Amino acid sequence: EVQLLQSGGDVVQPGGSLRLSCAASGFNFNDYAMTWVRQAPGEGLEWVSSISHDSEKTYYADSVKGRFSVSRDNSKNTTYLQMSSLGVDDAAIYYCAKRHTNNVAVPGNFFDSWGQGALVTVSS
Amino acid sequence: DIQMTQSPSSLSASIGDRVTFSCRASQGIYNYLAWYQQKPGQIPKLLIYAASTLHSGVPSRFRGSGSGTDFSLTISSLQPEDFATYFCQKYDTVPWTFGQGTKLEI
């Protein structure tokens, strides 16, 4: 069974930093791209960042580019989202999600498994 | 960037009803369209990908259709557990944008 266990959510002051973690089990983590999606309270889903299975490629939404950094440690089956210069607009539940396929020749990126979410609150 | 627009934003229906939601892309995305269901306080759940392919374990009352710019999700006979918010997502190229969602209410 695929499991994505998230940690790191917290209350942070505006301008502060935070690192989220997502520990995976139940599948060959090394083979799958991973993604972060966020959801502000009462709002929709917003794609934030993705990282390829081998860390060679990273992608960011314009709203977080230059402030957030995605990484992964395949030896620990864990992906991370390092967030800095946080503002009130970054307050949300952050989900990690697993790409639907490990086949890099197949285009596209949608998500068949999701973590439980980590709440990030930005407040002074 | 391609924008994804869902309509309506909310919809009221009854058990047994047939309902259809719309998702429109600002440019063609072939069939690179997924649908997710999210119930209050829960994580999103994949329903459909490639515009019309049901994900494993999803009941057959869910049906997706469309290609290019216009897509729809139909639930043929609403069950109590179907009341939720539904999101579409384009997944052809970066950014992998979601629609704003359609909330299905009793």
Side-chain angles (χ1 to χ4, degrees):
Chain A
E1 179 192 4
V2 172
Q3 290 194 356
L4 300 173
L5 185 60
Q6 297 184 230
S7 59
D10 206 347
V11 179
V12 61
Q13 291 186 341
S17 299
L18 195 63
R19 189 179 82 159
L20 304 180
S21 300
C22 172
S25 60
F27 65 102
N28 193 347
F29 181 75
N30 294 4
D31 290 343
Y32 286 84
M34 297 295 293
T35 288
W36 292 91
V37 174
R38 70 184 179 184
Q39 186 170 36
E43 301 295 327
L45 301 171
E46 179 187 11
W47 169 74
V48 172
S49 180
S50 298
I51 184 167
S52 62
H53 69 287
D54 58 3
S55 301
E56 287 290 311
K57 298 178 182 177
T58 58
Y59 307 90
Y60 299 94
D62 287 345
S63 58
V64 306
K65 202 170 292 183
R67 301 187 298 120
F68 289 15
S69 177
V70 63
S71 62
R72 63 192 294 160
D73 184 340
N74 284 350
S75 69
K76 296 182 178 179
N77 287 0
T78 300
T79 186
Y80 306 96
L81 186 67
Q82 178 69 46
M83 305 182 291
S84 61
S85 302
L86 285 163
V88 294
D89 289 346
D90 297 313
I93 297 173
Y94 284 73
Y95 297 101
C96 64
K98 167 187 163 289
R99 188 179 185 236
H100 66 292
T101 179
N102 61 354
N103 187 344
V104 296
V106 173
N109 189 18
F110 63 90
F111 320 113
D112 63 358
S113 297
W114 296 65
Q116 85 278 15
L119 180 61
V120 174
T121 301
V122 182
S123 174
S124 54
Chain B
D1 293 346
I2 296 174
Q3 305 302 312
M4 304 300 294
T5 303
Q6 291 186 242
S7 61
S9 57
S10 64
L11 177 62
S12 294
S14 301
I15 302 299
D17 283 356
R18 175 189 176 97
V19 295
T20 298
F21 315 131
S22 173
C23 176
R24 177 166 289 178
S26 59
Q27 297 176 44
I29 58 171
Y30 300 97
N31 69 337
Y32 291 104
L33 194 283
W35 289 95
Y36 300 86
Q37 177 195 66
Q38 187 180 33
K39 298 177 183 178
Q42 296 189 19
I43 66 177
K45 171 186 171 185
L46 176 65
L47 295 177
I48 286 170
Y49 60 94
S52 61
T53 302
L54 249 58
H55 183 53
S56 174
V58 175
S60 58
R61 64 181 180 273
F62 290 89
R63 185 175 69 87
S65 63
S67 66
T69 60
D70 292 315
F71 302 87
S72 62
L73 173 66
T74 298
I75 309 174
S76 59
S77 178
L78 277 174
Q79 300 301 302
E81 61 268 28
D82 298 338
F83 291 93
T85 300
Y86 293 83
F87 296 95
C88 63
Q89 180 219 344
K90 66 172 275 297
Y91 63 88
D92 55 339
T93 58
V94 177
W96 294 294
T97 308
F98 293 87
Q100 81 279 16
T102 293
K103 185 174 183 179
L104 179 57
E105 302 173 300
I106 298 175

